[in-house]
Amino acid sequence: MTKEESLLEKGLYFLTALIINLILFTLLSAYLLFARLSYEVNKPITLLLEEMPREEKVIFEKRTQRAGGTKEKLEKAKGGKPVPSLPPVTTKSGDVPIASKETIEKSILSEIERKVKSQKAEATQGKPTVSESFGELSGVVSGSGVDLAEGSTRKILYIPPFPQLRATELPSTFQAKLWVEPSGRVAKVEVLKRSGVPEIDSALVQLLRGIKFEPIEGNIIQTGIITFRFKGG
């Protein structure tokens, strides 16, 4: 290959690359222009409408009342035109009472107080009241079971069996307070004095919860104290 042919071949390569670059540049420019035009066309247009304030003229009418008739004095607007008069307002004789602020506040407070009392009455309605104690009971816990002495004003109808428990030493006195419902069911047991043996304390609490007293009339919860002493053997 001669030198002239080599130069011609290089020139053709350069010209081909230049043409390809021009075509790519033209296509890229057309794409960007088309995308720009599409965005401008599809872009929403926001219109802000502002209402101009209107000036309104307020014209007052003066009326004077005399015995035997009514004389009206009308103020004229600018420009010399008279202001049209309003028809006379007829009123009944006597003053209209207007409630003072203090009276309104007292009325509101009274209404709130009445509603609060009504809500308290509804909340407490149906709930039993706690009365005085029905007395004190005493019992003896031994190996054969539990014996309760009659010492209260309310009769005991049922005593559940006491489980057989063993202790290495003799427990001390156990004392509890009972809340008994009108139906005779024990609603609550509060331990006042423990025996020193947790297993025996738990068994006695379960025993007291299972005791059934005689029912009474009225929606009243009675309380009482019961004391257990322990006997060996």
Side-chain angles (χ1 to χ4, degrees), residues 150-161:
E150 294 291 340
S152 67
T153 58
R154 194 163 179 179
K155 187 177 179 180
I156 298 176
L157 301 180
Y158 171 76
I159 301 176

Side-chain angles (χ1 to χ4, degrees), residues 165-182:
L165 298 175
R166 294 184 179 274
T168 56
E169 58 183 8
L170 192 64
S172 60
T173 304
F174 176 88
Q175 192 175 64
K177 184 177 181 180
L178 307 181
W179 279 261
V180 183
E181 294 180 349

Side-chain angles (χ1 to χ4, degrees), residues 61-67 69-74:
E61 179 182 7
K62 293 183 179 178
R63 296 172 180 264
T64 58
Q65 184 174 359
R66 294 182 180 178
T70 302
K71 181 180 180 180
E72 299 179 356
K73 294 182 179 180
L74 304 179

Side-chain angles (χ1 to χ4, degrees), residues 59-185:
I59 302 173
F60 297 94
E61 179 182 7
K62 293 183 179 178
R63 296 172 180 264
T64 58
Q65 184 174 359
R66 294 182 180 178
T70 302
K71 181 180 180 180
E72 299 179 356
K73 294 182 179 180
L74 304 179
E75 293 182 352
K76 294 183 179 181
K78 293 181 180 180
K81 295 181 179 181
V83 180
S85 61
L86 298 175
V89 180
T90 58
T91 59
K92 296 182 179 180
S93 61
D95 297 332
V96 178
I98 300 176
S100 63
K101 183 179 180 181
E102 183 179 359
T103 305
I104 295 174
E105 290 178 353
K106 288 182 179 179
S107 177
I108 294 174
L109 291 176
S110 301
E111 182 66 19
I112 293 174
E113 185 178 0
R114 186 187 63 80
K115 289 184 178 180
V116 170
K117 289 182 178 179
S118 177
Q119 291 176 357
K120 287 183 178 180
E122 291 178 359
T124 56
Q125 187 177 5
K127 292 185 178 180
T129 57
V130 179
S131 71
E132 67 280 356
S133 172
F134 58 78
E136 294 187 7
L137 294 172
S138 62
V140 178
V141 180
S142 61
S144 59
V146 176
D147 294 328
L148 287 178
E150 294 291 340
S152 67
T153 58
R154 194 163 179 179
K155 187 177 179 180
I156 298 176
L157 301 180
Y158 171 76
I159 301 176
F162 188 72
Q164 293 291 334
L165 298 175
R166 294 184 179 274
T168 56
E169 58 183 8
L170 192 64
S172 60
T173 304
F174 176 88
Q175 192 175 64
K177 184 177 181 180
L178 307 181
W179 279 261
V180 183
E181 294 180 349
S183 62
R185 187 181 70 90

Side-chain angles (χ1 to χ4, degrees), residues 15 20 25 38 41 137 160 171 182 185 188 222 225-226 229:
L15 183 61
I20 292 173
F25 178 77
S38 298
V41 171
L137 294 172
R185 187 181 70 90
K188 181 180 177 182
Q222 291 182 330
I225 304 296
I226 185 168
R229 292 177 177 82

